[in-house]
Amino acid sequence: MITIKYFASLKSIAEKEEDSLDIENPISIDQLSDIISKTAPKMGAVIREKKVMISVNQEMASADTIIRDGDEVAFLPPFSGGSI
Amino acid sequence: MSTTIDAKIRIQLENFSITDEIEAMKKVSRNIGGITTFLGTGREISKGQNISELNFEHYPKMAEKKLEEIREKSIKDFGIIDMSIIHRIGHIDIGENIVLIVAAGEHRGETFKACEWAIAELKRTTPIWKRETTSTGEVWVQDTP
């Protein structure tokens, strides 16, 4: 099972903060995006338009990064910490 | 989240004391000859709109990890003695402290450069998000002016 996290503006688009998904074999971020697009088209569109960054186990990932059972995937909108 | 002042990287709900943070930094080394600080505070006007409050959210563990990377790279690349970075999360009123960077070195030059680089890098790489509340509603800020 993998854990999927959504932050900031993506929580309202995904309509959840966290999700989990059973995977039989390792999959790529690209394949995960396809799965999400089927169940949550709005979130899928945001991912496809590359409006988000993606991390796996708290490290930045790319479309071909492989996700394995037990991993934590997070969808991250553009950062806006700090101030000024 | 850590609240001990000895920790050089902290993401916390509560406010911080700039004086206490500087005094803690001064205890790190007797070779410190200059300390540069950057303090970010809640601003009332953004893009022409009045903001009534701010809320910050972070990705626990990843945000702390990124701040530690910034600290370590600042020490290595700019030759400073040490750096602390404190970022608040949760509800923040206008005028309140948001983020503090304290860069300490033997001389002032490297501390100015490290501090400037660190805040820019924080905004670019650290998973922290700001939500502004205005008269027209709430909006997640998605750019880093």
Side-chain angles (χ1 to χ4, degrees):
Chain A
M1 190 181 78
I2 61 168
T3 303
I4 303 166
K5 287 175 172 282
Y6 300 100
F7 287 95
S9 57
L10 300 182
K11 286 190 289 193
S12 56
I13 295 170
E15 297 177 333
K16 62 187 80 166
E17 289 185 26
E18 194 171 309
D19 206 353
S20 58
L21 181 72
D22 283 315
I23 55 169
E24 288 180 13
N25 297 301
I27 58 171
S28 67
I29 288 282
D30 222 19
Q31 289 169 307
L32 175 66
S33 302
D34 286 341
I35 295 168
I36 291 173
S37 296
K38 283 174 192 156
T39 55
K42 274 197 265 180
M43 190 63 219
V46 170
I47 298 168
R48 289 283 167 224
E49 289 164 23
K50 299 191 190 307
K51 289 180 178 172
V52 295
M53 290 171 280
I54 303 165
S55 68
V56 176
N57 300 331
Q58 291 97 45
E59 294 289 344
M60 297 309 291
S62 58
D64 55 1
T65 300
I66 298 299
I67 308 160
R68 294 179 171 79
D69 192 40
D71 284 351
E72 179 178 287
V73 181
F75 291 93
L76 315 168
F79 308 143
S80 53
S83 66
I84 62 172
Chain B
M1 278 186 283
S2 169
T3 53
T4 59
I5 206 157
D6 292 336
K8 293 291 186 292
I9 296 298
R10 290 173 3 239
I11 295 177
Q12 61 188 42
L13 284 164
E14 61 270 27
N15 197 6
F16 47 77
S17 157
I18 299 152
T19 305
D20 289 353
E21 299 302 333
I22 291 173
E23 288 304 316
M25 182 59 81
K26 281 160 72 177
K27 290 184 181 130
V28 168
S29 167
R30 289 174 62 83
N31 275 338
I32 290 173
I35 294 178
T36 297
T37 61
F38 171 78
L39 174 68
T41 57
R43 184 186 52 219
E44 188 169 46
I45 307 280
S46 179
K47 295 176 183 167
Q49 283 208 302
N50 269 307
I51 298 167
S52 55
E53 66 171 78
L54 301 163
N55 268 278
F56 285 85
E57 176 182 320
H58 77 308
Y59 182 2
K61 288 197 283 188
M62 185 174 179
E64 284 86 348
K65 193 192 292 185
K66 289 291 169 191
L67 293 185
E68 184 56 40
E69 285 173 12
I70 291 169
R71 173 176 173 264
E72 287 172 8
K73 198 161 169 27
S74 294
I75 293 168
K76 182 170 169 284
D77 290 359
F78 295 95
I80 60 171
I81 292 171
D82 208 345
M83 173 178 277
S84 57
I85 308 175
I86 301 127
H87 202 301
R88 290 180 65 202
I89 51 166
H91 171 95
I92 289 179
D93 282 325
I94 302 308
E96 279 196 89
N97 296 336
I98 298 171
V99 59
L100 179 70
I101 297 179
V102 181
E106 288 183 27
H107 305 282
R108 69 182 186 279
E110 60 265 30
T111 66
F112 278 116
K113 286 177 192 161
C115 205
E116 166 81 48
W117 177 81
I119 184 61
E121 193 69 359
L122 183 157
K123 294 178 75 68
R124 194 178 71 82
T125 66
T126 308
I128 299 176
W129 299 273
K130 174 168 63 180
R131 192 178 72 219
E132 295 175 343
T133 304
T134 69
S135 57
T136 55
E138 293 182 342
V139 62
W140 287 101
V141 178
Q142 300 225 332
D143 56 4
T144 54

